[in-house]
PDB file of all heavy atoms in Angstrom:
ATOM      1  N   PHE B 186     -28.844  17.898 -25.719  1.00 98.00           N
ATOM      2  CA  PHE B 186     -28.970  16.446 -25.490  1.00 98.00           C
ATOM      3  C   PHE B 186     -30.452  16.099 -25.382  1.00 98.00           C
ATOM      4  O   PHE B 186     -31.208  16.775 -24.674  1.00 98.00           O
ATOM      5  CB  PHE B 186     -28.243  16.065 -24.186  1.00 98.00           C
ATOM      6  CG  PHE B 186     -28.138  14.583 -23.966  1.00 98.00           C
ATOM      7  CD1 PHE B 186     -27.123  13.850 -24.564  1.00 98.00           C
ATOM      8  CD2 PHE B 186     -29.071  13.909 -23.185  1.00 98.00           C
ATOM      9  CE1 PHE B 186     -27.026  12.475 -24.366  1.00 98.00           C
ATOM     10  CE2 PHE B 186     -28.982  12.541 -22.984  1.00 98.00           C
ATOM     11  CZ  PHE B 186     -27.955  11.818 -23.578  1.00 98.00           C
ATOM     12  N   THR B 187     -30.858  15.051 -26.093  1.00 98.00           N
ATOM     13  CA  THR B 187     -32.266  14.635 -26.085  1.00 98.00           C
ATOM     14  C   THR B 187     -32.337  13.122 -25.976  1.00 98.00           C
ATOM     15  O   THR B 187     -31.617  12.414 -26.679  1.00 98.00           O
ATOM     16  CB  THR B 187     -32.963  15.073 -27.391  1.00 98.00           C
ATOM     17  OG1 THR B 187     -32.832  16.491 -27.531  1.00 98.00           O
ATOM     18  CG2 THR B 187     -34.446  14.714 -27.394  1.00 98.00           C
ATOM     19  N   ASP B 188     -33.210  12.620 -25.067  1.00 98.00           N
ATOM     20  CA  ASP B 188     -33.447  11.179 -24.981  1.00 98.00           C
ATOM     21  C   ASP B 188     -34.938  10.930 -24.761  1.00 98.00           C
ATOM     22  O   ASP B 188     -35.420  10.778 -23.642  1.00 98.00           O
ATOM     23  CB  ASP B 188     -32.622  10.572 -23.840  1.00 98.00           C
ATOM     24  CG  ASP B 188     -32.794   9.062 -23.797  1.00 98.00           C
ATOM     25  OD1 ASP B 188     -33.445   8.500 -24.722  1.00 98.00           O
ATOM     26  OD2 ASP B 188     -32.294   8.428 -22.856  1.00 98.00           O
ATOM     27  N   GLY B 189     -35.657  10.871 -25.887  1.00 98.00           N
ATOM     28  CA  GLY B 189     -37.113  10.686 -25.843  1.00 98.00           C
ATOM     29  C   GLY B 189     -37.549   9.341 -25.293  1.00 98.00           C
ATOM     30  O   GLY B 189     -38.726   9.159 -24.977  1.00 98.00           O
ATOM     31  N   ALA B 190     -36.617   8.400 -25.134  1.00 97.00           N
ATOM     32  CA  ALA B 190     -36.979   7.094 -24.569  1.00 97.00           C
ATOM     33  C   ALA B 190     -37.529   7.266 -23.148  1.00 97.00           C
ATOM     34  O   ALA B 190     -38.313   6.450 -22.677  1.00 97.00           O
ATOM     35  CB  ALA B 190     -35.770   6.171 -24.559  1.00 97.00           C
ATOM     36  N   GLY B 191     -37.129   8.355 -22.489  1.00 97.00           N
ATOM     37  CA  GLY B 191     -37.581   8.576 -21.111  1.00 97.00           C
ATOM     38  C   GLY B 191     -38.777   9.515 -21.030  1.00 97.00           C
ATOM     39  O   GLY B 191     -39.062  10.065 -19.972  1.00 97.00           O
ATOM     40  N   TYR B 192     -39.522   9.660 -22.130  1.00 97.00           N
ATOM     41  CA  TYR B 192     -40.606  10.664 -22.179  1.00 97.00           C
ATOM     42  C   TYR B 192     -41.641  10.469 -21.070  1.00 97.00           C
ATOM     43  O   TYR B 192     -42.229  11.427 -20.563  1.00 97.00           O
ATOM     44  CB  TYR B 192     -41.311  10.627 -23.560  1.00 97.00           C
ATOM     45  CG  TYR B 192     -42.320   9.519 -23.701  1.00 97.00           C
ATOM     46  CD1 TYR B 192     -43.686   9.753 -23.507  1.00 97.00           C
ATOM     47  CD2 TYR B 192     -41.925   8.212 -23.993  1.00 97.00           C
ATOM     48  CE1 TYR B 192     -44.613   8.737 -23.607  1.00 97.00           C
ATOM     49  CE2 TYR B 192     -42.848   7.192 -24.091  1.00 97.00           C
ATOM     50  CZ  TYR B 192     -44.192   7.445 -23.892  1.00 97.00           C
ATOM     51  OH  TYR B 192     -45.103   6.433 -23.973  1.00 97.00           O
ATOM     52  N   ASP B 193     -41.893   9.189 -20.693  1.00 96.00           N
ATOM     53  CA  ASP B 193     -42.970   8.953 -19.723  1.00 96.00           C
ATOM     54  C   ASP B 193     -42.496   8.979 -18.272  1.00 96.00           C
ATOM     55  O   ASP B 193     -43.243   8.612 -17.374  1.00 96.00           O
ATOM     56  CB  ASP B 193     -43.711   7.648 -20.050  1.00 96.00           C
ATOM     57  CG  ASP B 193     -42.762   6.451 -20.129  1.00 96.00           C
ATOM     58  OD1 ASP B 193     -41.528   6.650 -20.007  1.00 96.00           O
ATOM     59  OD2 ASP B 193     -43.258   5.321 -20.302  1.00 96.00           O
ATOM     60  N   ASN B 194     -41.277   9.435 -18.038  1.00 96.00           N
ATOM     61  CA  ASN B 194     -40.803   9.568 -16.654  1.00 96.00           C
ATOM     62  C   ASN B 194     -41.175  10.905 -16.020  1.00 96.00           C
ATOM     63  O   ASN B 194     -41.029  11.094 -14.818  1.00 96.00           O
ATOM     64  CB  ASN B 194     -39.274   9.386 -16.589  1.00 96.00           C
ATOM     65  CG  ASN B 194     -38.896   7.938 -16.810  1.00 96.00           C
ATOM     66  OD1 ASN B 194     -39.554   7.045 -16.283  1.00 96.00           O
ATOM     67  ND2 ASN B 194     -37.872   7.695 -17.607  1.00 96.00           N
ATOM     68  N   LEU B 195     -41.616  11.820 -16.842  1.00 96.00           N
ATOM     69  CA  LEU B 195     -42.116  13.112 -16.341  1.00 96.00           C
ATOM     70  C   LEU B 195     -43.174  13.526 -17.356  1.00 96.00           C
ATOM     71  O   LEU B 195     -42.852  13.953 -18.466  1.00 96.00           O
ATOM     72  CB  LEU B 195     -40.959  14.113 -16.236  1.00 96.00           C
ATOM     73  CG  LEU B 195     -41.154  15.448 -15.497  1.00 96.00           C
ATOM     74  CD1 LEU B 195     -42.024  15.325 -14.263  1.00 96.00           C
ATOM     75  CD2 LEU B 195     -39.825  16.034 -15.114  1.00 96.00           C
ATOM     76  N   ILE B 196     -44.447  13.336 -16.958  1.00 96.00           N
ATOM     77  CA  ILE B 196     -45.500  13.420 -17.981  1.00 96.00           C
ATOM     78  C   ILE B 196     -46.853  13.785 -17.366  1.00 96.00           C
ATOM     79  O   ILE B 196     -47.140  13.442 -16.215  1.00 96.00           O
ATOM     80  CB  ILE B 196     -45.600  12.049 -18.728  1.00 96.00           C
ATOM     81  CG1 ILE B 196     -46.522  12.120 -19.949  1.00 96.00           C
ATOM     82  CG2 ILE B 196     -46.001  10.924 -17.794  1.00 96.00           C
ATOM     83  CD1 ILE B 196     -46.432  10.915 -20.887  1.00 96.00           C
ATOM     84  N   VAL B 197     -47.662  14.509 -18.145  1.00 94.00           N
ATOM     85  CA  VAL B 197     -49.097  14.617 -17.874  1.00 94.00           C
ATOM     86  C   VAL B 197     -49.737  13.822 -19.003  1.00 94.00           C
ATOM     87  O   VAL B 197     -49.724  14.252 -20.160  1.00 94.00           O
ATOM     88  CB  VAL B 197     -49.571  16.088 -17.884  1.00 94.00           C
ATOM     89  CG1 VAL B 197     -51.080  16.159 -17.689  1.00 94.00           C
ATOM     90  CG2 VAL B 197     -48.851  16.884 -16.803  1.00 94.00           C
TER      91      VAL B 197
END
Side-chain angles (χ1 to χ4, degrees):
F186 189 83
T187 303
D188 184 6
Y192 80 98
D193 55 356
N194 288 318
L195 191 38
I196 189 168
V197 176

